[in-house]
Amino acid sequence: MATISKLSNPNPVASLSSSFKPRSSSSLKCFVGFPTRPSFSSKLVSSSSLSSINTHPFRGSLVVRCSLADGNGSSVKRTTLHDLYEKEGQSPWYDNLCRPVTDLLPLIASGVRGVTSNPAIFQKAISSSNAYNDQFRELVQSGKDIESAYWELVVKDIQDACKLFEPIYDQTDGGDGYVSVEVSPRLADDTNGTIEAAKYLYEVVDRPNVYIKIPATAPCIPSIKEVIANGISVNVTLIFSLARYEAVIDAYLDGLEASGLSDLSRVTSVASFFVSRVDTLIDKMLEMIGTPEALDLRGKAAVAQAALAYRLYQKKFSGPRWEALVKKGAKKQRLLWASTSVKNPAYPDTLYVAPLIGPDTVSTMPDQALQAFIDHGTVSRTIDANVSEAEGIYSALEKLGIDWGKVGSQLEDEGVESFKKSFDSLLDTLQEKANTLKFVIS
């Protein structure tokens, strides 16, 4: 099978960029409903100021239905997402993508300012929908192998989503409105392969507001520097530790300095720092320790580490080195909070959103977290409100024998493997679909 860096068609953009025209938001009628749902228990979360967030029971999930009926669409009211950006400088993004991409329009109207995707998201979207069948049939009939066909399906979705967010990108002078697409997870240990894949994806998507996602694995840190140096904007993903996060920042700065560009304003980046998965792993370790002190720290590790990551961000993007880059138009590599859905139903459903609000950051939320925050989220700067408490939690966990480096390495390995599994599963699904349709794949 072909890899993304070795696809036969050198420039399929023209064939992919068909006559896509987003529906005007005025042609949509949006209906918002809140089906009831049992409230959660927050008994495992301390009442300390770091962990204290709005524990208002989730009255129901936000359901947005769009009708293409004729007539004037009902206007969408302001939401907490608008306040999040306008009052606190945090950009709310949506961690999902599927066809039709015009389903994003009500979310954009509600304040969503960007989109992230990954192999697991596309695995779910393509395998569970018939919306991709016509394009897939045409690709296979034209002689594309399964993996090449997959990438063209993905590229079309990314292009179409980029078009929807382009007004935000333009209004913010390239500061927001991005759509992220990830290189093949099979390249997580391949420095040069990742560089070539990133260049290729950037070329074929051919949109100013695309972010190429590169994992923060050790072999890909040099890839990040090289891709940035080539003037390509990057979303660095799968960051689970402070040490690896600092290496990611340095790779961004090194790339900007090596670019040779006199104007750095169009080369931007976000660093996706994963949150909930940290608690999922460390909570298991704390339960194995079993002492009252250990059990009291459940649900606190992820937010504490994130607060320290923000402090590191403030430190690294200041001082003489950074100021020299600012003079050339450089923009800060924003921290992006990823993995924001709550895995433990005993925790508040905005646990990985509400305590991480701060300027120059992004919070990408899947449906659950997004709906919860729109419903009962509170907008206020929280990320650096209790840094000393975060330090105390971080140190207390170390004293209990929690090795943050090992935690980060394990979560990184699991993340890469999970994406590989989703990627391979989707290719198998597409192969089965092709066989069912009695296509012959060469």
Side-chain angles (χ1 to χ4, degrees):
M1 293 184 181
T3 64
I4 186 61
S5 59
K6 298 178 181 179
L7 297 184
S8 57
N9 186 352
N11 187 15
V13 174
S15 63
L16 295 172
S17 304
S18 58
S19 56
F20 169 73
K21 294 182 180 179
R23 304 168 192 156
S24 168
S25 58
S26 63
S27 67
L28 295 171
K29 290 186 177 179
C30 300
F31 303 93
V32 180
F34 292 92
T36 58
R37 178 184 115 175
S39 61
F40 54 80
S41 166
S42 58
K43 63 183 179 180
L44 295 181
V45 180
S46 163
S47 60
S48 68
S49 54
L50 180 71
S51 300
S52 177
I53 64 172
N54 185 353
T55 56
H56 187 294
F58 190 0
R59 294 190 297 271
S61 61
L62 174 66
V63 178
V64 181
R65 302 184 184 90
C66 297
S67 169
L68 294 180
D70 293 333
N72 294 324
S74 58
S75 60
V76 178
K77 295 181 180 180
R78 284 181 59 86
T79 73
T80 51
L81 301 183
H82 293 105
D83 291 338
L84 191 63
Y85 177 73
E86 295 171 12
K87 294 182 179 180
E88 299 300 337
Q90 183 174 81
S91 295
W93 287 7
Y94 183 48
D95 191 30
N96 197 17
L97 183 60
C98 61
R99 294 186 185 180
V101 296
T102 46
D103 283 353
L104 293 169
L105 287 171
L107 293 173
I108 294 172
S110 295
V112 168
R113 304 179 63 81
V115 160
T116 49
S117 70
N118 59 47
I121 285 173
F122 277 116
Q123 192 273 336
K124 180 179 179 181
I126 297 174
S127 64
S128 63
S129 170
N130 292 324
Y132 296 85
N133 286 0
D134 289 345
Q135 186 189 0
F136 180 64
R137 181 183 296 107
E138 292 174 2
L139 291 167
V140 175
Q141 287 179 334
S142 71
K144 296 288 183 182
D145 62 72
I146 294 297
E147 188 171 344
S148 297
Y150 161 79
W151 282 110
E152 296 211 22
L153 296 175
V154 167
V155 166
K156 176 167 174 51
D157 279 9
I158 297 297
Q159 288 177 321
D160 291 352
C162 281
K163 187 68 175 178
L164 294 181
F165 284 94
E166 197 170 327
I168 295 175
Y169 176 84
D170 291 338
Q171 291 162 11
T172 58
D173 193 28
D176 220 344
Y178 287 90
V179 179
S180 298
V181 58
E182 191 160 346
V183 299
S184 170
R186 294 173 174 173
L187 299 173
D189 296 321
D190 186 343
T191 303
N192 292 329
T194 294
I195 294 169
E196 293 306 310
K199 290 179 180 178
Y200 188 84
L201 274 174
Y202 179 73
E203 177 186 348
V204 297
V205 174
D206 194 29
R207 296 291 187 272
N209 56 327
V210 65
Y211 268 144
I212 307 302
K213 289 182 78 171
I214 297 175
T217 57
C220 286
I221 294 297
S223 309
I224 295 163
K225 173 188 173 181
E226 184 65 22
V227 172
I228 290 292
N230 276 270
I232 298 172
S233 295
V234 174
N235 176 342
V236 184
T237 189
L238 296 178
I239 304 173
F240 295 98
S241 69
L242 296 176
R244 186 55 55 84
Y245 174 47
E246 184 165 17
V248 166
I249 297 175
D250 288 338
Y252 177 62
L253 298 176
D254 291 343
L256 291 177
E257 291 169 340
S259 70
L261 296 172
S262 57
D263 179 10
L264 297 173
S265 63
R266 292 298 171 180
V267 186
T268 68
S269 181
V270 291
S272 295
F273 203 98
F274 280 55
V275 193
S276 68
R277 296 188 195 181
V278 173
D279 273 347
T280 299
L281 177 57
I282 290 183
D283 280 2
K284 291 178 182 177
M285 296 177 173
L286 293 172
E287 288 168 2
M288 289 181 67
I289 295 171
T291 64
E293 180 186 9
L295 296 178
D296 187 55
L297 289 170
R298 288 177 296 175
K300 299 180 183 179
V303 170
Q305 183 178 228
L308 299 182
Y310 188 75
R311 184 178 65 177
L312 179 60
Y313 159 83
Q314 292 175 308
K315 175 184 176 182
K316 298 289 285 190
F317 288 100
S318 63
R321 182 186 186 188
W322 175 241
E323 291 304 322
L325 290 168
V326 170
K327 290 178 181 178
K328 294 184 178 182
K331 294 175 180 175
K332 295 176 181 178
Q333 181 188 54
R334 292 186 294 172
L335 257 173
L336 181 151
W337 308 121
S339 183
T340 54
S341 63
V342 174
K343 308 295 192 295
N344 188 335
Y347 294 164
D349 52 6
T350 59
L351 177 62
Y352 303 115
V353 180
L356 304 179
I357 298 173
D360 300 321
T361 59
V362 178
S363 181
T364 189
M365 296 171 267
D367 290 288
Q368 176 197 37
L370 187 71
Q371 293 160 3
F373 194 75
I374 290 175
D375 180 39
H376 51 265
T378 300
V379 175
S380 64
R381 180 166 176 165
T382 53
I383 183 60
D384 51 2
N386 296 286
V387 178
S388 60
E389 185 177 353
E391 288 178 320
I393 292 171
Y394 193 90
S395 297
L397 287 163
E398 287 182 317
K399 290 177 183 177
L400 287 172
I402 303 297
D403 186 326
W404 285 96
K406 289 183 179 179
V407 167
S409 295
Q410 180 176 333
L411 289 172
E412 178 185 298
D413 291 343
E414 291 175 356
V416 170
E417 287 305 311
S418 175
F419 283 164
K420 284 181 180 178
K421 183 177 179 180
S422 294
F423 185 77
D424 292 341
S425 174
L426 179 53
L427 293 185
D428 289 342
T429 298
L430 289 175
Q431 183 67 65
E432 291 171 5
K433 184 175 290 191
N435 293 341
T436 300
L437 296 172
K438 297 182 179 179
F439 291 141
V440 178
I441 310 301
S442 57

